[in-house]
Amino acid sequence: MFEALSDFVAHTYGRYILLIDEYDIPFITVHLANWSKEDKQAAQDILKLMFQTMLKDNKYLIKGLLLGVFEIPLTEMGSGANNIKDIRMVPAEVNDIESSILSADQPHTGSGIDALTDSFWFNAKEVELMLENSIGWCPRIARHKPFIMDEIRSWYNGYFIGRFRGKYNPWSVSSFIEELCIVLNQSQSRRTNIKRIVQTAARSYWVTTGTTGLIEAQIDRHRAQFTELAQKLLRNYELTKLNEDADKTMCEPPHVPLNSTQLNLISLDQD
């Protein structure tokens, strides 16, 4: 079927660039399905053959771009779509999640394909520009822009991408601004509590758009490693907050022992 569609597009418009978003979702769906091992393998083989047809054996393809969260190998013993170059969110020199998060305050090298690391998600300037551009649609934002920006930071400024801190999820920020503009435009009364509207519009948007099944399965499979990593991340966060508070008060941060953070993850220690 794809070959017929490809022929039609090529003869109508010429050679094309193929964009595939969330290419990993079909593989994750198969992985989490309540199927036999043989059925899962057969489904994965079909998916890999499909990607080979689209990306390797496609004579009309100029370039292809695959986007996904989890890295799914599309090759096996040299066959399949083996002509793909990975561009990771996490730089190659710190390609494990622990090192990436713990070193996120260090400067990025900005070399090679890792130079694109800061292209993922929004930075603070991009969010401020988006908020500024929304004033044309919702003029009431202009008077309360500093407060709105503080609310955005409070809710959505908590992600690490590679070595970069303070990255904003595009879906959350866009959904928040859209919801805020809709409510403000509908509430034209001067007695409207703008701050309450802003606080009501700020909520979790992105986390409700996907499933955590694969993450939960991996945590259940690697309980000890996850507990150790979570403890390290929380200790690092605690020390970082202490250092930030110390910088604000111009005093030396107190010594915090490495075992200062205790996790109560009973569910990870018991079946």
Side-chain angles (χ1 to χ4, degrees):
M1 181 175 180
F2 175 79
E3 292 179 348
L5 177 62
S6 181
D7 287 339
F8 171 78
V9 172
H11 285 99
T12 305
Y13 303 103
R15 298 180 65 201
Y16 56 83
I17 296 175
L18 183 62
L19 307 178
I20 304 176
D21 190 20
E22 297 187 349
Y23 85 99
D24 52 334
I25 295 300
F27 292 93
I28 295 174
T29 302
V30 171
H31 178 76
L32 296 177
N34 188 23
W35 298 349
S36 66
K37 183 177 180 180
E38 293 74 17
D39 289 342
K40 287 186 177 183
Q41 184 61 53
Q44 291 177 358
D45 291 342
I46 292 174
L47 289 172
K48 289 182 179 181
L49 180 60
M50 180 181 69
F51 279 100
Q52 177 178 332
T53 302
M54 292 188 295
L55 299 170
K56 184 179 179 181
D57 301 334
N58 186 352
K59 61 183 178 181
Y60 302 117
L61 184 69
I62 298 175
K63 285 185 178 181
L65 177 63
L66 279 66
L67 302 176
V69 175
F70 297 97
E71 183 179 358
I72 306 294
L74 301 178
T75 63
E76 189 169 350
M77 300 297 291
S79 63
N82 58 359
N83 55 338
I84 296 177
K85 177 178 290 187
D86 291 330
I87 300 178
R88 302 169 181 267
M89 295 173 67
V90 179
E93 62 267 25
V94 283
N95 58 7
D96 64 282
I97 186 172
E98 177 183 341
S99 299
S100 174
I101 295 178
L102 295 181
S103 64
D105 56 340
Q106 300 177 12
H108 175 52
T109 59
S111 60
I113 62 174
D114 294 339
L116 297 176
T117 301
D118 194 33
S119 298
F120 294 97
W121 290 20
F122 294 159
N123 57 38
K125 291 183 178 179
E126 291 168 331
V127 174
E128 291 176 359
L129 179 61
M130 180 186 298
L131 193 60
E132 181 70 26
N133 292 337
S134 67
I135 294 176
W137 176 29
C138 183
R140 301 176 74 183
I141 284 180
R143 293 182 55 189
H144 305 276
K145 184 179 175 183
F147 173 76
I148 295 173
M149 193 63 204
D150 287 341
E151 196 70 14
I152 291 176
R153 291 192 188 96
S154 175
W155 269 85
Y156 309 116
N157 184 22
Y159 291 97
F160 297 84
I161 304 296
R163 293 180 181 270
F164 291 96
R165 313 183 75 166
K167 301 291 286 189
Y168 296 81
N169 176 264
W171 178 255
S172 295
V173 175
S174 301
S175 299
F176 165 77
I177 294 177
E178 179 183 10
E179 177 70 14
L180 178 61
C181 288
I182 292 174
V183 176
L184 287 178
N185 287 336
Q186 291 175 345
S187 305
Q188 296 297 332
S189 173
R190 294 183 177 180
R191 296 182 179 181
T192 301
N193 190 328
I194 302 295
K195 290 187 177 181
R196 180 174 296 177
I197 291 177
V198 172
Q199 293 170 343
T200 302
R203 57 179 181 267
S204 300
Y205 290 98
W206 184 52
V207 296
T208 62
T209 63
T211 175
T212 58
L214 184 60
I215 297 177
E216 293 173 5
Q218 291 301 312
I219 291 176
D220 187 61
R221 182 179 179 184
H222 306 284
R223 298 182 184 183
Q225 295 92 323
F226 171 77
T227 303
E228 181 181 359
L229 172 59
Q231 289 173 335
K232 289 182 179 180
L233 296 179
L234 288 177
R235 283 199 297 265
N236 180 75
Y237 172 79
E238 188 175 85
L239 291 171
T240 300
K241 292 298 292 182
L242 285 172
N243 289 334
E244 290 176 353
D245 294 340
D247 291 339
K248 292 179 181 178
T249 56
M250 300 300 291
C251 64
E252 291 296 324
H255 172 71
V256 179
L258 291 179
N259 60 351
S260 60
T261 300
Q262 300 295 329
L263 287 181
N264 184 18
L265 300 176
I266 299 177
S267 60
L268 295 178
D269 297 327
Q270 299 177 356
D271 289 323

